Amino acid sequence: DSDDGRPRAVVKLASDMSPTAANDLQTPPAPSRTLSWCERRDGLRARLEEERPAEIGVEEIEVHFAAMPAHYWERVQEPDLLWGLETIHGFLKLIASPQVPATAPFVCWRQVHEPHGARVMLCTWDRHGLLAKAAAAFSAVRLNIIQADVFTRADHIVLDEFLVTEADQRSASPEARLQEMAFLLEGALSEPPRFASVWACSRHKYLARPTSVAPRITFDDQSSPDSTLVHVVAADFLARGAPGLHV
């Protein structure tokens, strides 16, 4: 809790996770592209049944396997599956407290070395403008989004992962800056939003360098049977998710 007694978003460092999950996140195995998403999901379920995380119940696991979209199972690897389950478990435990509003996000991260930066996982309820507010929170603390993987379960729980770096991509993301990002995001998602978070997350709009490159947006509803692909071509600037945004 803060000094004013208001609950804050819970931030969990990777060092707080189980040793096996933390170690596996260092070098995730290469994904297999030879299996369908159903086969990959069933294979991961079988491996998880052999050694289920002690703190995560069977029902939580079953809901996750039933509610995650197909494109999640096409790319997720076992270490990230475990990390995601732990993150969702942390979110559900957080909002179960009567002192914590349902709007609170659960944020955790792990430092990486190639590129230098951090992998940040966010779990909260789905809502309008969530991705934009998350990107604005990163921008407010001068962290650049290199890649984002965005997934929404059938029960409206969002599990997003961001790869973020310093602007130079040569130095690690400071823990204090990641903590500040989580604080700003929690304030931006609260009802009503905190003024400090709204101001901090909006200033990047006015600090962006002018560009002569006009943005171009195209829509593709032919490549996927259940999704619309949105292609955005624009000049790069701090906190835009580039080059890979997977929704």
Side-chain angles (χ1 to χ4, degrees), residues 47-71:
R47 289 180 60 85
L48 199 60
E49 287 174 351
E50 294 177 1
E51 191 173 352
R52 178 174 59 85
E55 70 278 10
I56 300 175
V58 174
E59 183 177 354
E60 286 185 56
I61 293 174
E62 288 302 316
V63 170
H64 191 70
F65 275 86
M68 271 305 218
H71 64 282

Side-chain angles (χ1 to χ4, degrees), residues 78-224:
E78 188 173 352
D80 289 333
L81 171 61
L82 293 171
W83 188 20
L85 285 167
E86 291 179 352
T87 301
I88 295 172
H89 178 79
F91 168 66
L92 294 174
K93 184 177 180 180
L94 170 68
I95 62 172
S97 170
Q99 286 76 40
V100 176
T103 57
F106 185 91
V107 184
C108 54
W109 58 77
R110 182 170 181 80
Q111 297 288 346
V112 295
H113 302 294
E114 292 295 336
H116 283 286
R119 295 171 66 199
V120 180
M121 193 166 282
L122 161 68
C123 184
T124 188
W125 294 115
D126 189 22
R127 70 201 79 174
H128 179 72
L130 174 61
L131 185 58
K133 290 177 180 179
F138 285 116
S139 178
V141 298
R142 309 295 294 173
L143 290 174
N144 200 32
I145 301 173
I146 299 301
Q147 180 171 323
D149 294 292
V150 181
F151 306 104
T152 304
R153 293 198 332 187
D155 57 359
H156 306 294
I157 286 180
V158 168
L159 186 66
D160 296 347
E161 184 185 338
F162 303 90
L163 175 60
V164 299
T165 68
E166 295 285 286
D168 59 10
Q169 297 189 22
R170 292 192 297 268
S171 53
S173 302
E175 294 288 327
R177 199 174 302 179
L178 291 165
Q179 292 273 2
E180 183 182 356
M181 176 278 301
F183 172 80
L184 291 174
L185 180 58
E186 186 267 333
L189 294 177
S190 64
E191 293 293 345
R194 282 200 303 266
F195 172 78
S197 291
V198 173
W199 177 83
C201 293
S202 299
R203 64 181 179 177
H204 71 285
K205 300 178 183 178
Y206 310 106
L207 298 177
R209 299 188 304 272
T211 176
S212 59
V213 179
R216 186 172 73 254
I217 303 175
T218 58
F219 300 90
D220 176 7
D221 57 4
Q222 303 297 318
S223 299
S224 174

